[in-house]
Amino acid sequence: MRATWISCVVVLGCTSEPAFPIAHFASSPPVTIVNDRRDVPKPPKERKALQDPYAVKVLLVRPVERTLDVPRAQRAKGVNSIDEVPDSTWFTNRPPLTPDQVRTGPLTVDTPENHFPWTLKSTKFGGASSGFIVNDARGIKWLLKFDDKDFPEVETGADVLGDRLMWAAGFNVPEDEIVYFRLEDLVLAPDAHVKSRFGGNEGKLTAAKVREALSHIEKSKDGRYRATASRWLDGKPVGDPGGEGTRKGDPNDRIAHELRRDERGLATFYSWIDLVDVWPGNFLDVWTADHGRHYLVHYVLDFDSSLAALGSVQYDMRRSYTYRWDWPTVFGSFMSAGFIEWDWEGRPRQSIRGVPSLFTAIGFDPSRWHCDLPFLPFQTADRFDAFWAAKILSRFTRDQIHAAVEAGRYSDPRATEYIANTLVARQHKIVTYAYRQVNPLDGFSMSDQLCFDDLAVAQGYAAGVTTHYEVRARDARGRILAPADVVAAAQGGHVCTRVPALANAPDGYTVVEITTVRPDFRGTTYVHLARGPLGALHVVGIWRV
């Protein structure tokens, strides 16, 4: 008898609907700004990330160490009561932007092209691409990065358009722009020197060494060279924030980075622009002065491998499909003696100047995209993080995307059109996928009725599909208060419905369960209502399941 009872419990647990989520929200407006700008009197100890040791750690050591670990899914932190990310030193919710604003992006100063000569201070350090550190005639410091001669405009264009799109999405980025210059626009500083890969001084930078470096860069018929100019960030760089845990020496850093939604949501944005070069060294903390106080501002950097540029330049078809060293791929190839046909084999290629040959929407699957190295915030990201990012992504119009691509200053107009069209196609795939993983309702408000937007209907991702909503009222313990109302979808996706019943509580605290039903989809969102100080009922929280 006991065994039978246990079996029934197991069966019920497997077949019943998800348990009602016990959550209670304060009757107050959602937090829109996080106070993470409290004074940090001295800069934290600088962190210097080295890619090779990091790669060995995350590709070889950690998988072995965690072979027997049972991963425990954790919802993202750093979200408010309506499941949004507040403004902080990590992320900013941008207002609606015009295409011109997207094209300009983070730029705050006039282009250095209008301020020659440039004084060469040193070669750049770190990373795979060549470059220089210069001061323009105003004294503003810039980092110059170049394209490989065999791949003109590929990495510089990808860097700038990636910079614009990530800025428009809400992240902190450097001020990057495309510039052109001639050899005679450069002058050597008396102390100009060559830097090693790790920042050390390897000797004097001479005119001969400058000419040698420029010989590996394409030179136009009119004698100009092309580069990305990245304005030196204000403040003191203190290295990367790390991909997990919190940073010592920063009292404002209170959420483990692998649990931050803004960090986890980056996986969706990076899959859109196909940026696979993801590791702590491509993030930077800057100790910033602000009216007598200091705090850390967190930047995302180095978009020159966007648009599958890294795989295209290195002729590596696996990029975007698998980690640099991927155990299932290695064992699969070994066990099959090479007879397995992998998804990346036969990837379509194109040959437009400036466009990475592997960048395409054909074969792109948002659920299977991979960056080069395992990055813990991306590994812990869940469908709710992807939905948050997809909502932002869905707001980009084609004109805005086109404007971002125009900032890449491609010489062939076909490149601008191809990249913009491909980004739009990838955007559509990502949003379609994300809206099928989570009930895509948003924009909840309460007046005489409870209103919301079905984003899939409003944005055309459920066009021609019959949709209705089952609306139930529950009390704070999850007890159903009245039979469900069935509400039809409205044209345009904006739906208003009565609340079937209110809980008998001093503040009327009621949880409205809204289940969206389509022929091939069913998903639920819980909307928490309560009376405010003036007695009006309003939305106090959202819980997605």
Side-chain angles (χ1 to χ4, degrees):
M1 185 68 179
R2 183 182 177 189
T4 303
W5 178 81
I6 293 175
S7 298
C8 289
V9 171
V10 172
V11 170
L12 287 172
C14 295
T15 60
S16 63
E17 293 186 358
F20 176 76
I22 302 299
H24 196 95
F25 296 92
S27 183
S28 59
V31 173
T32 57
I33 301 176
V34 174
N35 181 19
D36 63 349
R37 291 174 168 82
R38 289 165 293 190
D39 188 43
V40 180
K42 63 178 182 178
K45 183 179 179 181
E46 183 175 1
R47 298 166 56 115
K48 291 186 177 180
L50 299 176
Q51 191 173 44
D52 291 344
Y54 176 80
V56 171
K57 175 184 176 182
V58 297
L59 290 173
L60 302 177
V61 177
R62 182 171 289 166
V64 174
E65 291 178 342
R66 297 185 174 178
T67 299
L68 299 179
D69 285 355
V70 178
R72 182 171 65 91
Q74 285 185 269
R75 286 281 188 109
K77 297 183 179 180
V79 297
N80 61 18
S81 58
I82 58 172
D83 204 35
E84 296 292 345
V85 176
D87 292 352
S88 70
T89 56
W90 297 77
F91 176 83
T92 302
N93 291 280
R94 306 283 183 214
L97 301 169
T98 65
D100 283 343
Q101 288 173 314
V102 174
R103 186 183 295 105
T104 302
L107 303 184
T108 61
V109 299
D110 186 31
T111 174
E113 284 182 300
N114 294 332
H115 301 277
F116 292 121
W118 296 346
T119 302
L120 280 168
K121 305 293 288 185
S122 72
T123 56
K124 71 179 280 286
F125 62 91
S129 61
S130 61
F132 297 120
I133 295 173
V134 305
N135 286 352
D136 68 19
R138 295 167 294 183
I140 296 178
K141 188 176 182 179
W142 301 86
L143 169 63
L144 300 182
K145 294 192 292 185
F146 306 117
D147 291 301
D148 185 290
K149 196 171 188 176
D150 294 330
F151 300 93
E153 303 183 14
V154 165
E155 291 174 284
T156 54
D159 186 278
V160 171
L161 77 86
D163 179 85
R164 297 300 185 273
L165 293 174
M166 294 308 300
W167 174 84
F171 296 90
N172 301 316
V173 300
E175 298 182 35
D176 290 358
E177 57 184 300
I178 300 297
V179 294
Y180 289 88
F181 66 95
R182 294 179 171 85
L183 181 61
E184 54 266 31
D185 295 324
L186 305 178
V187 296
L188 280 168
D191 58 347
H193 58 279
V194 177
K195 286 191 174 181
S196 71
R197 181 181 178 187
F198 306 109
N201 190 332
E202 290 191 342
K204 187 176 179 63
L205 179 60
T206 64
K209 290 179 180 178
V210 172
R211 287 193 294 270
E212 165 61 20
L214 293 178
S215 70
H216 300 286
I217 302 162
E218 184 184 61
K219 184 178 180 180
S220 65
K221 292 180 180 179
D222 63 358
R224 296 191 305 165
Y225 299 97
R226 173 184 165 107
T228 300
S230 183
R231 190 166 84 87
W232 208 258
L233 293 169
D234 294 329
K236 177 180 174 56
V238 291
D240 69 275
E244 55 190 279
T246 57
R247 179 165 192 154
K248 292 181 180 179
D250 181 10
N252 293 310
D253 192 7
R254 297 186 173 188
I255 300 174
H257 302 165
E258 69 271 21
L259 297 181
R260 296 191 62 93
R261 171 162 288 174
D262 39 29
E263 289 290 280
R264 289 158 63 145
L266 272 172
T268 296
F269 292 110
Y270 280 11
S271 72
W272 178 38
I273 62 175
D274 209 349
L275 173 55
V276 300
D277 189 18
V278 185
W279 67 292
N282 282 344
F283 299 80
L284 181 66
D285 284 350
V286 177
W287 188 62
T288 305
D290 179 10
H291 297 89
R293 60 177 172 168
H294 295 82
Y295 50 82
L296 268 61
V297 178
H298 312 276
Y299 289 85
V300 291
L301 329 159
D302 289 347
F303 305 107
D304 52 6
S305 69
S306 302
L307 312 186
L310 203 58
S312 301
V313 169
Q314 298 180 2
Y315 301 104
D316 189 345
M317 306 289 281
R318 300 173 306 132
R319 277 339 199 320
S320 311
Y321 283 79
T322 180
Y323 291 131
R324 190 182 301 173
W325 174 274
D326 188 74
W327 291 101
T329 303
V330 171
F331 283 119
S333 296
F334 175 76
M335 296 301 293
S336 69
F339 286 105
I340 291 180
E341 185 174 343
W342 301 104
D343 293 345
W344 58 81
E345 295 178 346
R347 287 175 68 174
R349 301 174 72 97
Q350 55 71 45
S351 56
I352 302 173
R353 178 185 171 88
V355 182
S357 61
L358 295 179
F359 184 58
T360 180
I362 300 172
F364 169 55
D365 181 349
S367 68
R368 301 180 64 186
W369 179 86
H370 270 72
C371 52
D372 259 11
L373 300 172
F375 186 60
L376 194 56
F378 289 13
Q379 293 176 293
T380 56
D382 59 25
R383 56 198 175 98
F384 306 107
D385 304 316
F387 177 66
W388 168 78
K391 286 192 301 178
I392 297 173
L393 182 55
S394 72
R395 299 172 197 151
F396 281 88
T397 65
R398 189 187 187 281
D399 286 345
Q400 290 174 321
I401 294 170
H402 197 278
V405 180
E406 289 170 3
R409 296 176 67 177
Y410 293 99
S411 59
D412 188 336
R414 295 177 303 163
T416 303
E417 297 307 315
Y418 177 87
I419 293 171
N421 291 339
T422 302
L423 285 169
V424 170
R426 292 173 73 95
Q427 172 196 41
H428 182 80
K429 285 192 171 187
I430 290 170
V431 177
T432 299
Y433 174 75
Y435 283 6
R436 292 182 60 82
Q437 306 307 305
V438 177
N439 190 20
L441 307 185
D442 203 43
F444 297 94
S445 63
M446 183 71 206
S447 53
D448 295 335
Q449 293 183 303
L450 175 61
C451 298
F452 58 87
D453 296 317
D454 185 335
L455 299 182
V457 173
Q459 297 172 3
Y461 291 95
V465 176
T466 302
T467 300
H468 71 267
Y469 312 94
E470 298 172 359
V471 182
R472 294 180 177 84
R474 298 175 180 265
D475 65 14
R477 294 186 178 181
R479 294 174 295 199
I480 295 176
L481 302 175
D485 286 349
V486 177
V487 181
Q491 187 174 7
H494 185 67
V495 181
C496 291
T497 179
R498 76 182 188 106
V499 177
L502 290 178
N504 184 19
D507 60 355
Y509 199 101
T510 302
V511 181
V512 181
E513 175 188 306
I514 306 176
T515 300
T516 301
V517 181
R518 308 191 221 278
D520 57 351
F521 175 83
R522 185 181 182 90
T524 299
T525 301
Y526 292 92
V527 185
H528 293 240
L529 308 176
R531 291 193 180 93
L534 300 180
L537 206 62
H538 62 284
V539 176
V540 297
I542 305 297
W543 188 260
R544 307 184 193 278
V545 295

